[in-house]
Each structure stands twice: as structure tokens, then as C-alpha cells.
Amino acid sequence: MEDDVRELFGETADHFGHEILALEIADDHVHLFVQTDPKHSSTDIARQFKSYSGKHLLERSPEIRESYFWGGGFWKVGYYVGTTGAVSEEVVERYIEETEHAPE
């Protein structure tokens, strides 16, 4: 499933002109660091990645829908968006890496 998510996020980025700078996939969420044109709102970006990947993941593996979602979507409704502004790419990548490997 992780390989499929990476592939579909890459296709989404290519289609909409985004550049994926970092992508970390955990058991129950994804950290995605994207560089894009400011004409795209954060809401649009989240929708683009979630709708395209969710649709195709459920098409590729229909048993997931039947076993886990009872007919619902792949991704939860919410999401978190933060912008980097003057923060460097390296700082954000380090944050993503550290939060993925931090003890719970």
C-alpha cells in the first residue's frame, strides 16, 4: 500500500505542477511537504492529493473498502496544513523525520 501511495502522490504532484520535497508515510497518517505555485490554496492541494489517491487506492484494492471502510472513503475528512514561509526546506524535512521516529 505504501508504494501505491507514493506512486499516486507522485502522479498527483506531476499533474498539478507540485513538487514533493518530503513524503513520510506512517501507519495512520502521511506527512507531505510540497512546493507549489501560490495560486493553489492549501485546501485545493489537500483535496487533490486525497481525492486522486483515495479513488485509485480503492479501485486497486476493493477488498480494503469492504473490510475496513464499510463503503466510506480511504482518507479521513480532516487534514493539517502548515506553511513554511521563511523556514528552510532542511528544517521542515528534519521536523518530519524526527516526528516519524519519536517515541510515543
Side-chain angles (χ1 to χ4, degrees), residues 9 12 15-16 18 32 39-55 75-79 81:
F9 274 27
T12 303
H15 179 76
F16 289 100
H18 309 311
L32 179 64
K39 71 181 180 183
H40 297 285
S41 72
S42 55
T43 301
D44 287 342
I45 294 167
R47 181 186 46 76
Q48 291 162 356
F49 280 97
K50 290 173 70 173
S51 65
Y52 182 81
S53 62
K55 176 182 182 283
W75 301 106
K76 288 190 176 189
V77 174
Y79 59 91
V81 173

Side-chain angles (χ1 to χ4, degrees), residues 30-84:
V30 173
H31 285 269
L32 179 64
F33 183 34
V34 178
Q35 181 174 350
T36 190
D37 190 304
K39 71 181 180 183
H40 297 285
S41 72
S42 55
T43 301
D44 287 342
I45 294 167
R47 181 186 46 76
Q48 291 162 356
F49 280 97
K50 290 173 70 173
S51 65
Y52 182 81
S53 62
K55 176 182 182 283
H56 286 85
L57 286 167
L58 292 174
E59 284 176 357
R60 291 178 183 188
S61 304
E63 70 279 1
I64 294 171
R65 180 189 306 265
E66 296 162 7
S67 299
Y68 298 102
F69 301 105
W70 303 283
F74 185 82
W75 301 106
K76 288 190 176 189
V77 174
Y79 59 91
Y80 166 79
V81 173
T83 59
T84 60

Side-chain angles (χ1 to χ4, degrees), residues 11-30:
E11 290 174 12
T12 303
D14 290 344
H15 179 76
F16 289 100
H18 309 311
E19 180 182 355
I20 296 176
L21 302 176
L23 174 61
E24 292 290 331
I25 301 172
D27 290 341
D28 62 351
H29 66 279
V30 173

